[in-house]
Structure formats: structure tokens, C-alpha cells
Amino acid sequence: MTLMNKWYIRRDFSVAAAKMGKRGIALSSDEPPADALFWEMWNECEDIARQVLDTDYFRGIRDNNLDPNAYGSLMVQDAYYCFEAENAYAAAASHPLDDVCSDFLKGKRESYEEYNLYYHGPWHIHDTAGVIPGTPIKDYADYEAHVAGHLDSPYLFCVMLPCEYLWNWIANQLLPTASPDGLYYFWIEGNGGTPDGAYQMANMLENYRTQMDEEQAKEIFRTAMQHELEVFSTATQLNTNALWLRKNTF
């Protein structure tokens, strides 16, 4: 393990069964069945996932030439996203469909709360007030907040799954040819493997499938995937014009 790996925290938002007490039996991190709604949504959006994989950002991760400023900028934007995601789970937990859903949503909120401590440390970001969000990440977080606050709580799983699964899927696509000596290998290794949190949420979604409008669920999932594409497509477009003008005006 490289020195960088010692401070990089794996992005896994799974819920410990112990936190749900007797209801923890409803949790499963096994790969969802082939006919699960999650796989239907993912397969219909894999074209978007491949576009994300082909962005300059992930080409830079793959080829070890991503501008470190772009990497840092994206991480700061992701901090904003994760703080808002914690809020979204809290909002959905205020109107759960049942007790199992309630406990799971509360567990997800806690998992984000725990992960967000990472931003307090290496990145020195306390909360959203410390971030100036770009339009793509703000639009994404606002959409998740809308789903959390206005739709039945299981629809939140549909809007959150793209983020939790996509990062893992991309890392696993890059891992077979990635050099352990690469500059960004820590990101690839840190996000690869089995997506326990995403699988857990996909299986929870399946429990509520018959109570949902599947077309609406798929629309929400695809919209979130499109937000992911927008975020990563613009991640390397660093706005340095204002700084240049300031330096050359005074």
C-alpha cells in the first residue's frame, strides 16, 4: 500500500446490520439477482457510464496525466455532494414507507456522516458553507434533494445508486491495465472491488419494487446518470480566467 493509500478513504456507504437491530436481517450486500430493477436501470444507462469513462478526467486518471488541480477541484465538489447527500437521506427518513425503510435511511445518513469526517481532515472542509459549488454539482444535489423531499422514500435509492455504483464500476474498468506505480492508482484501487454499499441499496430497492412506478424509477436513475456525466465532463474545465485578469489588471 502506498503512502497515498493510507489517507484515501474508500467510498463505501454500506449500513452495518447491527445498526438496524432485528431489522438488519433485511440487509444484503450480495450481488442483486439478474432480473433486479437495479440491473435493468443500469443496463439501460451503460451507454452513459461509458461516456463518463471516456471523459478527459478519467482518461487522465488512466494515463497518469490528470491535472492535480482538476483532481483537487473535483474532490472539493464531491465534498459538497456528500454533505448534501447526508441531508437528502435525513429528509427521506422523515417520511419513510415503513420501519425497515426508516432504519435503512437513517443508517445511510449515518454512513455519509461518518465518511464526511474525511473532508474535515485531509481536505479541511467542514460543511457545504466551505465550498463554492459549480453548477453541475449543485444541480445534481438539488435534484437529489427534490427526490428526497417530494417522492416516496425508495425513489431516493434510484437517484443515489448511480453515484455509489458508477465510481466502483469505473475503477474496476481501469484496474486490469492500471500500473501500481501510477499517480492515481490509489483512486483506482480505493474504489474498485465489490460495491457492497451499492449492492445493499439495490437489494433494498428490490424490496419496494412492487410499490413503485418502474418507469419513474428508471427516469430518476437516468437523470442522475446524466448529472454524473455532466460533473465529470466539466471537471477538467478549470476556470482560471478570473485569477489571470486579477493578476494582470493591478
Side-chain angles (χ1 to χ4, degrees):
M1 181 177 289
T2 65
L3 179 62
M4 219 174 263
N5 272 334
K6 291 181 179 179
W7 60 258
Y8 186 78
I9 305 299
R10 177 177 173 81
R11 219 167 176 274
D12 176 62
F13 302 108
S14 56
V15 177
K19 291 186 176 181
M20 293 183 61
K22 294 181 179 179
R23 299 188 185 106
I25 195 172
L27 294 177
S28 172
S29 295
D30 294 340
E31 182 173 334
D35 61 350
L37 177 58
F38 167 68
W39 289 126
E40 286 189 27
M41 296 189 298
W42 174 260
N43 291 335
E44 291 177 9
C45 292
E46 191 171 335
D47 60 320
I48 301 176
R50 296 202 174 276
Q51 291 178 62
V52 176
L53 179 62
D54 196 42
T55 57
D56 289 340
Y57 185 88
F58 283 114
R59 286 186 179 187
I61 291 282
R62 179 194 66 197
D63 299 335
N64 304 309
N65 59 8
L66 177 66
D67 185 340
N69 292 296
Y71 177 81
S73 176
L74 192 282
M75 286 302 296
V76 172
Q77 296 294 292
D78 188 54
Y80 179 87
Y81 172 91
C82 288
F83 288 128
E84 289 293 343
E86 180 183 338
N87 295 334
Y89 279 110
S94 70
H95 58 98
L97 282 189
D98 56 33
D99 290 341
V100 172
C101 189
S102 175
D103 286 351
F104 183 69
L105 290 165
K106 290 175 182 177
K108 293 294 288 185
R109 187 204 66 77
E110 290 177 8
S111 71
Y112 271 87
E113 181 181 37
E114 292 170 2
Y115 178 80
N116 287 341
L117 294 175
Y118 167 58
Y119 293 112
H120 294 180
W123 292 95
H124 302 281
I125 303 172
H126 187 267
D127 52 33
T128 56
V131 180
I132 301 174
T135 299
I137 204 73
K138 188 175 188 308
D139 287 348
Y140 193 4
D142 287 350
Y143 181 64
E144 290 182 339
H146 171 78
V147 172
H150 295 87
L151 301 182
D152 287 344
S153 48
Y155 286 104
L156 185 64
F157 307 152
C158 302
V159 77
M160 291 298 194
L161 272 166
C163 178
E164 289 201 28
Y165 186 71
L166 180 63
W167 284 45
N168 173 264
W169 179 85
I170 287 175
N172 285 334
Q173 296 296 306
L174 298 175
L175 193 57
T177 58
S179 168
D181 297 323
L183 178 62
Y184 292 104
Y185 186 76
F186 73 92
W187 188 96
I188 299 171
E189 182 183 47
N191 286 286
T194 303
D196 293 329
Y199 280 174
Q200 191 181 73
M201 188 153 58
N203 286 320
M204 186 61 70
L205 171 66
E206 196 67 16
N207 292 340
Y208 296 97
R209 182 173 185 172
T210 59
Q211 302 177 57
M212 302 172 68
D213 180 330
E214 291 192 16
E215 290 307 310
Q216 184 177 17
K218 290 179 179 180
E219 179 184 356
I220 291 170
F221 188 93
R222 175 168 282 273
T223 299
M225 287 290 289
Q226 290 168 335
H227 279 298
E228 290 283 340
L229 177 59
E230 181 65 16
V231 167
F232 285 108
S233 295
T234 58
T236 51
Q237 299 172 13
L238 300 177
N239 184 8
T240 58
N241 290 337
L243 180 60
W244 185 91
L245 287 172
R246 181 177 181 182
K247 286 182 175 180
N248 290 274
T249 300
F250 300 98

